[in-house]
Amino acid sequence: MLKRKFRREQTAGDELLPTASNTIDRQTFMRDLCIVVGTRPEAIKMAPVYFALQESSVLHPVLLSTGQHREMLDQAFASFSLVPDHDLHLMQPGQSLADITARVISRVHDYLTETRPAAVLVQGDTTTVLATAMAAFYAGIPVGHVEAGLRTYDPQNPWPEEMNRRLVAPIAQWHFCPTQQSREHLLSERIEESKCYVTGNTVIDALLWIRNKLDRENRTSDEVAARVGISDAFNQRFLSDDATRWILVTGHRRESHGSGFVQMCDGILRIVAEHPDVGILFPVHLNPHVRQPVMEKLGNHDRIELVDPVGYEDFVWLMDRCLFLLSDSGGVQEESPSLGKPVLVTRDTTERPEGVAAGTCRLVGTDPQKIFAEADLLLSDSNELARRRGLKNPYGDGSAAQQIRTVLERSLCDR
């Protein structure tokens, strides 16, 4: 068994705590903290928290996967060489939100009542997050919410993510806010000030960790293209030459299903029509509501490359080399400024207004005219592109996970 000595000043009532003269079994003393993830963004943003808690002398992280998504979740785990301690494998074909919510509440509640961790951590705004928070509440286990306080105050946009976040807030014991503005949202909702901590966003921790790994490996475009499934023609024309211009595109939001994705594709087609030197790389989400219109509208253009979703490491490599991004992803809005990449956000609202205020992101919705106008500005005005590439990231400096660990150690183990 692994042994560790633990030093702290002993006070009245601390008779059971280890001191310099008291060596105990580390696993006996450590308190389990359950980290629950179900989708790719959750895995990416919780990986740094898991690693930070592994360094703790008093808390032991246990990684639980609901499997809300499968292939993309597994990709994210692989990027960080993580394997869940437990996997509930809850994803089913054609699952509805009601179905997955019910299964997560039931199965996570069973797991928590059997294992009784000291606390549960969730991240973000997915069905896994809301259902896990409810399961923990029913089990009488405190909840920490990473990336708390983001709001649009429009229940339909993003749907259902906006309400997922808002419903978790009254349940959570610890709110780890990425910015001061997100903290102010919670205070306006009468969440206790003592429960709200501004830490920055853990996605910046993850991004910098992966980027350092890629720098050490010196990964080439040929390697990335082969793994991602990018054609040799697109690779040689765009990825292998730093002087070329290409745009990285992602999209998945439910509010854009149907006409929204059709209009977005129309905007992309106009970009490539009026800028004959520009390429588009689009990792297409697996959801058929996304894939069908994208494949139909963009599938036969020699400068538009459509590929399956890529692993996080390769996505960071691609972000680092594109000219700018067109995306509805919250993570992309947070990450890209750290790489000096402007983001055109294909949404009408965002729960991440700090990026819009800082100028690193601009809302364009799915209107093809707005998409083209903003892309055309960055493609035609090199001074504007350079200005926006130099703006500071408002979402943190990469120390969020360590700050979260410190808060949890003090809250759970200082008595």
Side-chain angles (χ1 to χ4, degrees):
M1 299 286 284
L2 178 63
K3 304 285 185 179
R4 176 176 291 181
K5 289 187 177 181
F6 179 78
R7 293 177 180 268
R8 65 166 274 176
E9 183 178 350
Q10 194 166 12
T11 59
D14 280 351
E15 291 81 10
L16 297 180
L17 291 178
T19 65
S21 60
N22 179 19
T23 302
I24 67 170
D25 186 319
R26 176 176 180 262
Q27 291 184 347
T28 299
F29 179 71
M30 303 269 283
R31 306 190 71 184
D32 284 346
L33 199 155
C34 186
I35 297 174
V36 184
V37 300
T39 66
R40 167 184 158 136
E42 293 167 81
I44 291 168
K45 294 183 177 184
M46 288 302 245
V49 179
Y50 180 85
F51 292 144
L53 289 169
Q54 279 189 316
E55 299 173 359
S56 175
S57 299
V58 288
L59 296 175
H60 173 248
V62 177
L63 184 59
L64 174 66
S65 169
T66 68
Q68 178 182 336
H69 293 165
R70 192 72 274 168
E71 294 90 351
M72 298 174 73
L73 175 61
D74 291 342
Q75 280 183 341
F77 283 140
S79 295
F80 295 92
S81 300
L82 284 176
V83 177
D85 296 292
H86 303 279
D87 195 325
L88 301 180
H89 298 287
L90 296 184
M91 182 177 178
Q92 295 181 7
Q95 64 189 9
S96 70
L97 290 176
D99 290 339
I100 189 64
T101 301
R103 289 198 301 275
V104 172
I105 291 176
S106 177
R107 294 288 299 282
V108 171
H109 181 266
D110 289 346
Y111 176 86
L112 295 178
T113 54
E114 180 180 347
T115 59
R116 303 306 303 180
V120 172
L121 283 185
V122 294
Q123 185 282 323
D125 55 15
T126 70
T127 301
T128 283
V129 172
L130 174 59
T132 295
M134 294 175 67
F137 175 73
Y138 294 153
I141 297 172
V143 175
H145 188 197
V146 177
E147 198 183 73
L150 278 65
R151 298 288 187 271
T152 65
Y153 291 108
D154 178 356
Q156 299 299 316
N157 199 352
W159 183 91
E161 290 85 358
E162 172 70 10
M163 289 309 299
N164 287 346
R165 288 184 186 276
R166 288 164 66 177
L167 293 169
V168 169
I171 296 174
Q173 176 69 28
W174 304 276
H175 302 263
F176 300 110
C177 307
T179 67
Q180 182 62 34
Q181 184 168 351
S182 55
R183 180 176 181 271
E184 294 297 330
H185 289 155
L186 293 171
L187 297 181
S188 72
E189 296 168 15
R190 303 184 70 178
I191 301 298
E192 294 178 36
E193 184 175 3
S194 62
K195 296 180 178 180
C196 301
Y197 306 86
V198 178
T199 62
N201 199 302
T202 60
V203 77
I204 307 304
D205 304 38
L207 175 73
L208 298 179
W209 190 91
I210 291 292
R211 193 186 192 192
N212 289 336
K213 178 183 178 182
L214 294 173
D215 287 344
R216 293 192 302 271
E217 294 176 355
N218 196 25
R219 195 168 295 186
T220 68
S221 69
D222 290 344
E223 293 171 335
V224 173
R227 186 166 39 254
V228 170
I230 298 170
S231 67
D232 289 339
F234 192 90
N235 176 34
Q236 294 303 318
R237 185 170 182 180
F238 294 106
L239 301 190
S240 63
D241 185 348
D242 292 339
T244 58
R245 307 198 304 170
W246 59 277
I247 303 165
L248 183 58
V249 179
T250 73
H252 72 281
R253 291 285 180 181
R254 285 184 176 88
E255 61 265 30
S256 296
H257 289 177
S259 62
F261 276 103
V262 172
Q263 293 182 78
M264 186 184 77
C265 291
D266 288 338
I268 291 171
L269 287 171
R270 186 176 175 190
I271 293 170
V272 293
E274 300 203 22
H275 293 276
D277 65 322
V278 170
I280 302 288
L281 178 60
F282 192 160
V284 186
H285 198 278
L286 297 175
N287 190 312
H289 294 292
V290 178
R291 294 181 76 84
Q292 182 177 347
V294 170
M295 295 296 184
E296 288 179 358
K297 297 283 289 187
L298 305 180
N300 295 306
H301 197 290
D302 64 349
R303 285 183 285 119
I304 299 177
E305 187 80 357
L306 306 180
V307 297
D308 286 340
V310 305
Y312 187 58
E313 293 173 72
D314 292 322
F315 190 74
V316 171
W317 189 96
L318 293 168
M319 277 199 299
D320 206 14
R321 286 157 179 81
C322 70
L323 195 66
F324 60 88
L325 291 98
L326 180 70
S327 177
D328 60 15
S329 165
V332 165
Q333 294 174 59
E334 297 154 348
E335 295 162 321
S336 295
S338 289
L339 301 175
K341 307 297 178 178
V343 185
L344 304 182
V345 183
T346 53
R347 295 171 58 184
D348 296 321
T349 61
T350 179
E351 65 277 31
R352 294 166 174 85
E354 298 88 350
V356 177
T360 59
C361 301
R362 286 203 178 172
L363 294 174
V364 297
T366 57
D367 183 334
Q369 294 184 357
K370 289 183 180 179
I371 290 172
F372 172 75
E374 289 294 338
D376 183 59
L377 175 62
L378 293 174
L379 291 167
S380 303
D381 189 337
S382 59
N383 291 330
E384 175 65 7
L385 177 64
R387 183 188 72 82
R388 282 158 67 177
R389 292 184 70 168
L391 295 173
K392 182 181 178 181
N393 191 341
Y395 295 108
D397 59 7
S399 65
Q402 294 294 333
Q403 295 183 58
I404 290 168
R405 188 191 85 181
T406 298
V407 170
L408 292 170
E409 286 177 336
R410 289 174 177 171
S411 297
L412 292 170
C413 303
D414 264 12
R415 290 188 180 89

